[in-house]
Amino acid sequence: MALLDVKDLRTSFRTEDGVVRAVEGVNFTVEKGQTLGIVGESGCGKSVTCLTIMGLNPKRNTVVGGEALWKGNDLLTMKPSDLRAVRGDEISMIFQDPMTSLNPVHTIGRQLIEAVLLHRDVTKRVARQRALELLKAVGIPRAETRIDDYPHQFSGGMRQRVMIAMALINDPDLLIADEPTTALDVTTQAQILALMKTLQEDFGSAIIMITHDLGVVAEIADDVLVMYAANVVEQAEVHDLFNRPQHPYTWGLMGSLPRLEADVERLTQIPGQPPSLLRPPNGCRFHPRCPYVMEICKTTVPALKPTARDPDHLEKCHLDEETKEREAAKLLAATMAEAG
Amino acid sequence: MFRYLVRRILWAALLFLVITFVTFVIFYVGPNNPARAVCGGDQAKRECLVRATAKLGLDKPMPVQYYKFLKQLVVHQDLGESFATSQSVNQRIKEAAPVTASLVFGGAVLWMMIGLSVGIFSALKPRSLIDRSAMVFVLIGVSAHPIWIGLIFEYVFGVKLGWTPIANYANFFGAPPDSGLPGGPWQWFYHLILPWCTFALLFAALYVRMIRANVMETLNEDYVRTARAKGAPEGQVIRSHVLRNALLPVVTMLGMDIGIALGGAIFTETVYQLPGLGQTAIIGIGNQDLAIVQGVVVFATLAIIVFNLIVDLLYAWIDPRIRLT
């Protein structure tokens, strides 16, 4: 049995302007110790997918459908007290902005200890010992004294380390990381990613890594979900995705990765912006921005279907196999040329 | 910390000089003739006017009078004598301050109880019936004038229903013997119920709105989501993560409002004929009695300065991000 099995997950928000369908029919599984990357631009439903699994969307205006089976039990219909027992213990989460994700009026020690005491029947002294252990594991220097400091006394990178320590403190089976490196500078990003990889080996947690950065995915993920406008447009094992990308949106994302080619002055970009989820376009949602757009794309929604070559590689596009293979090969050749 | 205190006290001294000086100037710019008031207004005799002018020191130039006032205040901690009654101003303030303090502190307790309970509840259940009723209450509270509210309360609860007295103050520690006045803690409380409600209404309304807004804003903070993601039950999330942060600015507001109100809750004191600082100031102004007016101003200034200092020290203690340097 998969650790987490998400089936036809749907989330919509009632707003004053109408209903926003933020996630529409997402399926994936996460196996023990594996890493799933979810990629896409801002506002395409990556974070909402994970917040829905955790039950952290505002209750008042959210409608949720589908299933999220955690070790066989549906998180979406679980009793609130049962869900709380899972949150922070079996599944924990790291957020995008470490500057605002820690409570400014409590010491980090207190916040770490709180996380332990919520799920373990231990004394404060034991919890504090555990907190110290974790702070050392994530590489906070002078942890014995730093544990009594407040969040504002830490830098962004250090705060994210504290967040990671807090997420791992109860030895979770699954760690959901929502753009954990986006708010950090580049060198710190690399350190945090390396840290997460090491810790995954030590703790054996599965990871869902939400990011808009394909570089991060290449580095850390086993499987990848590419999301666009509330839908999954491509889903594959990581090498397969990079070697044989099948969807024009994925090509666009890959094309906009910076490369060290001398003859390119500007990065390729995907023209336009993701559509409003209040009134998404008819047919394929990517068609207004797609360079390969055909008549059928404007009227008919393509199905998410396996490619001919690999039944585990799913894509959602009307283009014929031949064109896809050709474009993927071209993209790969360009990457190779620059690498070689 | 020590340097911070020294600097604050120096600022306070400067502020104090400016405020008392401005009071002096305003008094003399206006068409006031205290000597005339002392001698019985329009029928004042000439020799009375001359004697009164000399006695009150009004024949000296204004800066000299100000200097004398300051010297007496700093050296002897004496605010002088009332122009109109020759009563010691210190004595007058000493009698009036407890009345105003009773009104203000009791009122503050009342408005904080209302503000916290209704404000927090409204924020947690926005758009519920209670939230909507609370917002109507806020609208009435901020719109209705205390004098009007006071008169309505007096009429309904005092006259029609006969539940409470409609005016006057009862000393907490008992009335002077043979005065025939009510006294003691119960009478004190009984006489202050209506004034407290009247005085607290405006502030309660303002505080409900402020606390509701702060709590709603804090509920959307990332660290509140973090607390929920840790698996904290909702009660603990609210207590430990939301309220502590949402109520920080309320402490500042409360300190400043109490400081200002201690200078005299003029409207409430007037309606219920409470002999507090506000009423003392109004009588002083009517009698062109600079000494009394200046006495109330000095006391009010001190109250505001002291309470602002308390707020700052308290804030540094409850908010770890603030260090006093």
Side-chain angles (χ1 to χ4, degrees):
Chain A
M1 185 170 54
L3 198 57
L4 176 66
D5 190 356
V6 173
K7 292 180 186 163
D8 193 29
L9 187 75
R10 295 168 181 278
T11 311
S12 46
F13 302 112
R14 287 190 305 268
T15 68
E16 280 175 15
D17 302 321
V19 176
V20 175
R21 294 181 212 286
V23 178
E24 288 193 283
V26 169
N27 295 281
F28 61 84
T29 57
V30 181
E31 303 289 342
K32 208 167 179 307
Q34 293 281 297
T35 301
L36 172 75
I38 303 183
V39 207
E41 283 164 288
S42 305
C44 63
K46 309 176 302 257
S47 297
V48 175
T49 303
C50 290
L51 289 173
T52 306
I53 294 168
M54 291 284 273
L56 288 175
N57 286 313
K59 281 187 194 65
R60 229 157 27 84
N61 61 347
T62 312
V63 184
V64 173
E67 282 184 326
L69 299 178
W70 174 253
K71 299 177 179 171
N73 301 314
D74 189 2
L75 292 167
L76 305 182
T77 53
M78 218 176 239
K79 272 198 334 216
S81 56
D82 293 342
L83 182 61
R84 274 204 303 274
V86 173
R87 287 206 293 236
D89 186 6
E90 296 174 30
I91 309 180
S92 60
M93 196 155 177
I94 309 172
F95 298 98
Q96 178 170 350
D97 192 350
M99 307 310 268
T100 55
S101 293
L102 289 163
N103 190 333
V105 301
H106 295 318
T107 62
I108 58 151
R110 182 173 166 169
Q111 300 185 53
L112 288 164
I113 290 166
E114 183 187 24
V116 179
L117 294 179
L118 279 166
H119 300 286
R120 301 279 179 273
D121 194 14
V122 294
T123 61
K124 260 199 176 141
R125 181 191 295 266
V126 175
R128 190 183 161 89
Q129 215 45 52
R130 175 74 181 152
L132 265 177
E133 233 172 79
L134 260 293
L135 286 178
K136 285 178 189 156
V138 297
I140 303 272
R142 295 184 295 113
E144 290 83 358
T145 51
R146 296 294 267 160
I147 190 169
D148 292 317
D149 282 348
Y150 289 94
H152 71 274
Q153 292 163 297
F154 289 82
S155 68
M158 285 295 154
R159 284 189 216 187
Q160 198 59 300
R161 284 170 196 261
V162 172
M163 285 298 291
I164 294 172
M166 196 151 80
L168 293 177
I169 204 161
N170 290 319
D171 229 336
D173 298 317
L174 173 64
L175 176 64
I176 300 177
D178 186 354
E179 308 215 22
T181 57
T182 305
L184 306 173
D185 64 67
V186 185
T187 44
T188 320
Q189 281 184 10
Q191 287 171 8
I192 294 288
L193 274 186
L195 174 69
M196 288 186 66
K197 266 169 96 170
T198 330
L199 290 175
Q200 185 177 26
E201 281 155 24
D202 295 350
F203 286 76
S205 310
I207 295 181
I208 296 180
M209 171 68 85
I210 302 174
T211 179
H212 58 251
D213 185 345
L214 276 176
V216 172
V217 167
E219 196 147 325
I220 203 167
D222 299 304
D223 295 297
V224 188
L225 216 61
V226 181
M227 285 187 75
Y228 183 77
N231 288 303
V232 173
V233 293
E234 187 162 2
Q235 188 164 359
E237 191 269 330
V238 67
H239 293 101
D240 218 40
L241 185 89
F242 278 90
N243 287 330
R244 223 180 298 280
Q246 296 291 307
H247 196 281
Y249 181 61
T250 316
W251 301 338
L253 286 180
M254 288 183 172
S256 52
L257 277 180
R259 297 212 176 96
L260 293 170
E261 279 168 293
D263 56 343
V264 173
E265 298 204 336
R266 295 190 51 164
L267 292 174
T268 330
Q269 55 176 9
I270 307 174
Q273 267 156 22
S276 151
L277 295 177
L278 268 173
R279 274 170 287 281
N282 289 331
C284 171
R285 292 198 171 168
F286 189 57
H287 87 255
R289 303 171 74 188
C290 184
Y292 306 89
V293 62
M294 304 176 291
E295 270 315 304
I296 185 175
C297 304
K298 296 175 184 166
T299 51
T300 313
V301 183
L304 186 67
K305 56 191 178 301
T307 57
R309 188 185 294 270
D310 181 355
D312 288 333
H313 191 150
L314 306 178
E315 51 89 19
K316 188 179 175 118
C317 183
H318 287 304
L319 275 181
D320 57 294
E321 290 285 325
E322 211 173 301
T323 321
K324 284 183 200 160
E325 289 293 328
R326 199 176 59 234
E327 289 300 320
K330 264 202 310 209
L331 197 68
L332 195 66
T335 319
M336 287 314 226
E338 148 227 335
Chain B
M1 180 70 187
F2 176 72
R3 282 186 51 188
Y4 173 82
L5 271 180
V6 169
R7 212 172 55 215
R8 278 301 295 258
I9 288 166
L10 288 179
W11 269 112
L14 181 68
L15 183 67
F16 184 79
L17 277 179
V18 171
I19 290 178
T20 48
F21 186 73
V22 168
T23 316
F24 244 84
V25 171
I26 290 175
F27 189 81
Y28 279 101
V29 167
N32 291 320
N33 189 346
R36 212 180 169 81
V38 170
C39 293
D42 290 341
Q43 288 93 46
K45 300 242 167 45
R46 226 183 98 66
E47 58 263 43
C48 175
L49 279 176
V50 174
R51 256 188 300 132
T53 307
K55 181 166 175 286
L56 299 176
L58 298 169
D59 46 351
K60 309 266 186 346
M62 202 263 279
V64 177
Q65 290 184 43
Y66 182 64
Y67 172 74
K68 274 178 64 186
F69 159 79
L70 265 190
K71 191 175 150 198
Q72 203 176 13
L73 181 63
V74 174
V75 180
H76 305 288
Q77 289 87 47
D78 185 3
L79 286 161
E81 287 177 0
S82 156
F83 287 3
T85 62
S86 299
Q87 191 195 9
S88 153
V89 176
N90 282 26
Q91 183 60 31
R92 183 75 211 94
I93 300 285
K94 218 181 277 172
E95 284 165 15
V99 180
T100 301
S102 300
L103 176 63
V104 171
F105 285 112
V109 170
L110 186 62
W111 93 54
M112 281 311 286
M113 287 192 323
I114 298 174
L116 284 175
S117 52
V118 180
I120 293 171
F121 196 89
S122 290
L124 296 181
K125 303 262 180 238
R127 300 177 187 200
S128 63
L129 190 63
I130 292 196
D131 180 37
R132 286 176 200 275
S133 321
M135 289 307 104
V136 172
F137 164 77
V138 166
L139 195 63
I140 295 172
V142 294
S143 316
H145 196 281
I147 289 202
W148 180 77
I149 294 280
L151 291 172
I152 298 284
F153 280 1
E154 267 186 346
Y155 182 72
V156 175
F157 299 106
V159 178
K160 277 282 165 192
L161 297 171
W163 289 352
T164 59
I166 56 167
N168 293 328
Y169 178 72
N171 196 324
F172 184 85
F173 301 103
D178 308 326
S179 64
L181 295 170
W186 165 247
Q187 285 294 333
W188 171 82
F189 180 81
Y190 185 50
H191 278 77
L192 278 170
I193 295 174
L194 281 192
W196 278 336
C197 293
T198 309
F199 179 63
L201 187 73
L202 169 67
F203 287 105
L206 291 173
Y207 276 63
V208 164
R209 199 167 59 177
M210 180 174 68
I211 290 169
R212 176 178 181 270
N214 284 352
V215 171
M216 285 178 88
E217 202 182 302
T218 312
L219 278 169
N220 287 324
E221 292 285 351
D222 287 349
Y223 53 78
V224 173
R225 190 179 55 187
T226 306
R228 292 200 176 114
K230 279 199 277 193
E234 205 53 25
Q236 186 169 339
V237 172
I238 303 291
R239 268 195 319 277
S240 168
H241 296 278
V242 176
L243 290 186
R244 178 79 192 271
N245 284 285
L247 297 184
L248 284 177
V250 178
V251 174
T252 317
M253 286 289 291
L254 184 64
M256 291 190 344
D257 285 338
I258 288 180
I260 292 168
L262 279 180
I266 290 178
F267 298 127
T268 310
E269 288 177 15
T270 307
V271 177
Y272 295 101
Q273 294 164 41
L274 301 173
L277 291 166
Q279 212 184 49
T280 304
I282 288 192
I283 294 171
I285 292 167
N287 289 341
Q288 301 180 13
D289 194 339
L290 176 62
I292 289 283
V293 175
Q294 194 68 282
V296 175
V297 168
V298 167
F299 182 84
T301 311
L302 277 180
I304 291 171
I305 290 171
V306 167
F307 270 85
N308 278 340
L309 186 62
I310 291 177
V311 164
D312 285 353
L313 296 179
L314 202 61
Y315 214 79
W317 181 58
I318 57 179
D319 188 342
R321 283 165 296 185
I322 294 173
R323 285 284 162 268
L324 305 176
T325 47

